[in-house]
Amino acid sequence: MRSFAEKFHHLGKWLPLSVIVIVTIIASVNKQLIGLIAQPVKVEFGLSDTQLGGMFSIVGVVVAIISPLLGQMADRIDRHKFLLGSILIWSVATASYGVAAGYLTLVISVVVIASAETSLGPISNSIIADRYRQGTRINANLVYFAAGGLTTGVGSFLGGVLLHQSADNLTSITSFWQGASDWRVAMVVTGLFGIPLALLTLVLGKDRHQANRSKSLTDLSDLKAYWQDHWKTLISFNVSNAGFFIAASATMGWVPIYLVRHFGISPAELGMRMGLVIGLADLLGVLFGFVAIKKFYHFLGPIAPRYIFQFSLCGVALLYIPLLAAETVWVVLIIFGVQNFLATFGTASFNNMLQDMSSPGVRGKIFGINMLIVSLVGIPGPLVVGALSDYFGQEPQSLLWAIFIVSVPMLLLSALLYGLTNKIYLQTIKAIKILEQD
């Protein structure tokens, strides 16, 4: 029987992952709130759909610029301190969104929020890749991805609850805060969440594992050397994913706005309904996704998750057709939920694929590059949908058609490119495994 100290040591190994999971879930609330309150923000500030979409596209530009820097920082400085600083920054920015006086303040606040939250990607994945090995790392990735999969649902639900509570207590709040509204109060309260969240990171102490990196891995730490050997894989992987992320940015940002605009549902009620539907869909997507990967990996090898992703891309694209004909909020939410299930099902091993195709010393940089590409390809989606919506007219159905026109071709393009680039991806995985065994 293991001693108490041995048991405590075993549990302590999972402390970094536990903190990462909590931070990931709580950080999702402000992101989902911004989407839920987009329609009342548009009305209060008199914004056009093009301005609204442009705000999110500007975020993509800034995040794209700083993503490589964030990846570099995740490989060079104490990741635990980096995480603490990022939390404090996005918390202040979230509260500033709630007291915004104009469009410029909104844009600056959203840019800072997104920039700080983007650091979670390279920090979290680098910590997991360093702290957990082989089968343990697969389990750690499963837990981390499950947390990420729950962020939309949990964030939407908690955002809806916050909006509901803010509306109920608005009378007493306006007695000392003139001009307060439910969405402003909810954003300020969400910003305050960052204080205990930042304190939570202090239990991790110094990132000693990063500081004590083995010198034998020096030859694996050179991004230039990695690029020379595997540039085709890096480019093809990110280009293949581009269509998916364009569709995701166009759909996730605008469908909540469509629901509020078309059906007149309040953002608070929408958040709670969407949180339940999307949360369940994403949870099932994680579970079934990992079951499918383990099942098909036995027969197909490391190519299995890519085939699964191709299948899910085609399924998501086909579901836009019944979405156009949906006549009630619940029908839209159910179809939207099935789309999220398929997307989560398909991307369940996405982080693992990136970790497998990158050597230990450059993983933070590779994730930074990936975020750069994701941010860049996410720029046109919201802006093009907004511009098309303004062009077609302000009817809610025009907005839905704009989402369809942008998303469906991009999803099918990603599915095609994945099939064309499987061979070079497998070649890189084989080469990396040989290096790690030497």
Side-chain angles (χ1 to χ4, degrees):
M1 178 179 290
R2 290 184 303 171
S3 66
F4 177 78
E6 289 174 329
K7 291 179 180 179
F8 181 79
H9 175 73
H10 176 73
L11 293 175
K13 290 195 304 183
W14 295 102
L15 181 60
L17 180 63
S18 301
V19 173
I20 288 171
V21 166
I22 294 171
V23 171
T24 299
I25 292 176
I26 299 301
S28 69
V29 178
N30 58 13
K31 186 184 301 180
Q32 300 307 318
L33 256 178
I34 290 171
L36 290 173
I37 64 177
Q39 183 62 20
V41 168
K42 166 188 165 71
V43 172
E44 180 170 331
F45 290 98
L47 307 179
S48 66
D49 281 351
T50 302
Q51 285 178 300
L52 204 56
M55 179 168 68
F56 299 115
S57 293
I58 291 171
V59 169
V61 173
V62 175
V63 171
I65 293 172
I66 69 168
S67 289
L69 174 61
L70 294 174
Q72 184 81 2
M73 291 171 66
D75 282 335
R76 287 183 174 274
I77 67 176
D78 189 303
R79 292 171 183 141
H80 302 162
K81 294 179 181 178
F82 190 9
L83 182 61
L84 185 150
S86 297
I87 294 172
L88 292 177
I89 290 171
W90 90 54
S91 298
V92 173
T94 300
S96 71
Y97 190 96
V99 296
Y103 183 64
L104 181 59
T105 312
L106 291 173
V107 171
I108 293 174
S109 298
V110 172
V111 165
V112 176
I113 292 169
S115 300
E117 288 184 348
T118 299
S119 65
L120 282 180
I123 294 172
S124 301
N125 283 287
S126 296
I127 290 176
I128 290 173
D130 281 346
R131 294 293 187 101
Y132 307 103
R133 297 295 181 187
Q134 299 176 348
T136 305
R137 198 184 83 190
I138 294 175
N139 293 332
N141 276 318
L142 168 59
V143 174
Y144 177 61
F145 186 84
L150 289 173
T151 54
T152 301
V154 174
S156 297
F157 183 81
L158 292 178
V161 171
L162 273 173
L163 286 168
H164 181 73
Q165 292 297 319
S166 298
D168 283 350
N169 296 281
L170 194 58
T171 303
S172 58
I173 294 173
T174 52
S175 63
F176 61 87
W177 180 5
Q178 297 297 321
S181 59
D182 55 351
W183 70 264
R184 290 183 180 276
V185 174
M187 288 299 292
V188 171
V189 171
T190 305
L192 295 177
F193 286 168
I195 298 175
L197 200 60
L199 294 176
L200 179 63
T201 66
L202 296 178
V203 303
L204 297 177
K206 182 178 176 58
D207 189 1
R208 299 183 185 280
H209 190 95
Q210 182 186 21
N212 296 330
R213 184 184 300 280
S214 173
K215 292 183 179 179
S216 64
L217 295 177
T218 301
D219 59 326
L220 300 179
S221 302
D222 188 353
L223 184 60
K224 182 179 179 181
Y226 177 90
W227 173 259
Q228 290 174 342
D229 292 335
H230 306 293
W231 65 271
K232 290 182 180 179
T233 301
L234 189 59
I235 291 177
S236 64
F237 182 78
N238 286 290
V239 171
S240 299
N241 289 320
F244 169 73
F245 287 111
I246 290 173
S249 65
T251 302
M252 297 302 295
W254 282 106
V255 167
I257 297 173
Y258 164 75
L259 286 167
V260 173
R261 187 178 298 180
H262 184 53
F263 297 103
I265 185 172
S266 71
E269 186 178 358
L270 174 61
M272 288 186 283
R273 289 191 190 185
M274 192 165 72
L276 291 173
V277 173
I278 304 303
L280 177 61
D282 287 343
L283 178 60
L284 292 175
V286 170
L287 296 176
F288 280 93
F290 273 89
V291 169
I293 290 166
K294 290 185 177 181
K295 182 74 174 178
F296 288 104
Y297 195 94
H298 178 71
F299 301 102
L300 301 174
I303 199 67
R306 291 171 69 90
Y307 285 158
I308 293 171
F309 188 47
Q310 287 176 271
F311 166 79
S312 70
L313 288 170
C314 294
V316 173
L318 289 174
L319 283 170
Y320 281 92
I321 297 173
L323 191 65
L324 289 169
E327 296 182 352
T328 67
V329 173
W330 277 115
V331 172
V332 173
L333 285 176
I334 289 172
I335 296 172
F336 193 41
V338 177
Q339 286 182 313
N340 274 266
F341 164 78
L342 287 172
T344 306
F345 173 79
T347 57
S349 64
F350 192 82
N351 289 339
N352 224 81
M353 284 193 286
L354 267 175
Q355 291 168 354
D356 284 344
M357 61 182 270
S358 58
S359 52
V362 299
R363 284 198 176 107
K365 301 178 186 70
I366 297 301
F367 273 93
I369 292 172
N370 177 250
M371 288 189 302
L372 166 64
I373 303 300
V374 170
S375 300
L376 286 174
V377 300
I379 292 168
L383 181 59
V384 173
V385 169
L388 285 173
S389 177
D390 283 336
Y391 176 78
F392 291 147
Q394 289 297 308
E395 291 296 321
Q397 199 67 15
S398 299
L399 177 57
L400 199 57
W401 271 106
I403 297 170
F404 177 91
I405 291 171
V406 172
S407 301
V408 173
M410 291 295 99
L411 289 167
L412 297 178
L413 179 61
S414 270
L416 175 63
L417 290 176
Y418 250 80
L420 296 174
T421 58
N422 284 333
K423 184 178 179 179
I424 57 176
Y425 172 79
L426 290 176
Q427 290 173 344
T428 289
I429 288 183
K430 183 178 179 180
I432 295 299
K433 285 184 177 179
I434 292 174
L435 282 174
E436 290 186 315
Q437 290 172 355
D438 290 343

